[in-house]
Amino acid sequence: MQAFHSPLQGWCFPEYENFVSTKSDGVITDKSPLFGLDCEVCLTMRGRELTHISLVAEEGGCVMDELVKPDGKILDYLTSCSEIMKKILNPVTTKVKDVQRQLKALLPPTAVLVGYSSDLDLKALKMIHPYVIDTSLLYVREQGRRFKLKFLAKAIWGKDVQGPGRLGHDTTEDAKTALELAQYFFKYDPKKMLSRKSDDFDHFIVIKIAELNLEALACHQSRRQQACAEQGSRGRWAAMPKVAAQF
């Protein structure tokens, strides 16, 4: 079994020694507010440090969108993933400690953070939060393999995120998509649908179709990879449909 660890209060690992708690310690219920979270990082002399954070409320509005100046000397802006460049960060004065203060003030005691590989987001923030939903694990495949965010959005809704022509990821879009995927899963979870009334049958069909789309695309990609390996043709792989290759 593969474990995915988010920082938790009371852990004694040296890497979490200076992490800050959000102080969200209420009792969560079905009515606890959900917040979509996404962070981007760069590579510095200290390792990976935060450069951008977006926080989205469950109604879809962005409640926080901040560029962040790393503490360490930047070695690589990781622009292809983050869209962050030197000229973008040069005028920024916000530091990770400022973001921590803002999050502590924004998040209510029963807030649930929803992200995609949210353990990495919390590590970038250097924060501990007790209630986290990692959307990538809701849709996890056999042997712990996970789909990419853009693949799930395309397969389930036909929605393009992190689209071609962009320099990197849109953190607000990614946070919102991770949140919507979690909401979709909890609303149409096929295990729950089996125990509901017959008038929910149409919803059951919706999620089953989505499941079939995911598995069909996954199998399609696997067969394509095998054929490509046998033929040793990179050019043919590059010409394949993008939706089948991006997970």
Side-chain angles (χ1 to χ4, degrees):
M1 180 180 293
Q2 189 174 2
F4 302 93
H5 297 304
S6 290
L8 293 175
Q9 190 73 43
W11 280 20
C12 298
F13 296 112
E15 62 181 309
Y16 304 142
E17 183 178 356
N18 297 316
F19 278 36
V20 175
S21 174
T22 59
K23 302 300 182 184
S24 294
D25 54 4
V27 178
I28 59 172
T29 69
D30 289 343
K31 295 183 179 181
S32 293
L34 304 180
F35 291 87
L37 173 69
D38 188 63
C39 295
E40 294 295 347
V41 299
C42 68
L43 185 62
T44 76
M45 294 289 289
R46 301 184 179 189
R48 292 180 180 270
E49 291 193 64
L50 183 69
T51 54
H52 196 180
I53 172 177
S54 290
L55 189 71
V56 177
E58 57 187 312
E59 297 81 10
C62 183
V63 295
M64 184 176 181
D65 186 37
E66 290 281 353
L67 291 169
V68 185
K69 179 70 69 70
D71 292 323
K73 180 181 178 181
I74 298 175
L75 303 176
D76 189 338
Y77 286 88
L78 303 178
T79 305
S80 61
C81 295
S82 66
E83 294 188 335
I84 300 297
M85 295 179 284
K86 183 177 181 179
K87 64 180 181 181
I88 294 176
L89 279 188
N90 271 346
V92 175
T93 58
T94 302
K95 308 290 280 188
V96 67
K97 62 182 180 181
D98 301 315
V99 171
Q100 292 170 344
R101 280 196 295 267
Q102 289 184 58
L103 280 175
K104 289 175 68 174
L106 274 172
L107 295 176
T110 61
V112 178
L113 293 178
V114 182
Y116 213 80
S117 298
S118 49
D119 57 321
L120 300 179
D121 292 330
L122 287 173
K123 288 175 182 177
L125 289 165
K126 297 183 179 179
M127 297 195 77
I128 294 171
H129 186 77
Y131 310 125
V132 178
I133 296 173
D134 189 334
T135 304
S136 71
L137 299 181
L138 297 179
Y139 295 89
V140 71
R141 299 176 62 196
E142 298 88 351
Q143 300 177 346
R145 293 182 297 166
R146 292 186 276 185
F147 292 104
K148 285 187 177 180
L149 181 70
K150 60 182 177 181
F151 178 84
L152 285 174
K154 185 69 173 180
I156 294 176
W157 300 309
K159 177 182 177 181
D160 288 312
V161 299
Q162 304 172 1
R166 290 183 181 176
L167 187 59
H169 297 181
D170 181 329
T171 54
T172 300
E173 180 184 58
D174 286 359
K176 185 176 180 180
T177 303
L179 178 57
E180 290 174 343
L181 282 168
Q183 292 170 322
Y184 183 90
F185 181 89
F186 294 133
K187 186 174 182 179
Y188 299 130
D189 180 2
K191 294 178 182 178
K192 296 179 181 178
M193 294 307 303
L194 289 173
S195 64
R196 291 183 181 178
K197 297 178 181 179
S198 59
D199 58 3
D200 279 331
F201 181 72
D202 288 342
H203 295 314
F204 178 67
I205 294 300
V206 168
I207 188 65
K208 294 309 290 184
I209 290 174
E211 285 182 335
L212 289 173
N213 284 344
L214 290 175
E215 290 306 318
L217 287 171
C219 290
H220 178 68
Q221 189 259 6
S222 180
R223 288 196 298 269
R224 288 280 193 168
Q225 282 182 321
Q226 184 176 1
C228 179
E230 291 173 354
Q231 295 176 13
S233 173
R234 289 191 175 185
R236 186 168 181 175
W237 171 249
M240 287 169 47
K242 291 182 179 179
V243 66
Q246 296 173 348
F247 69 92

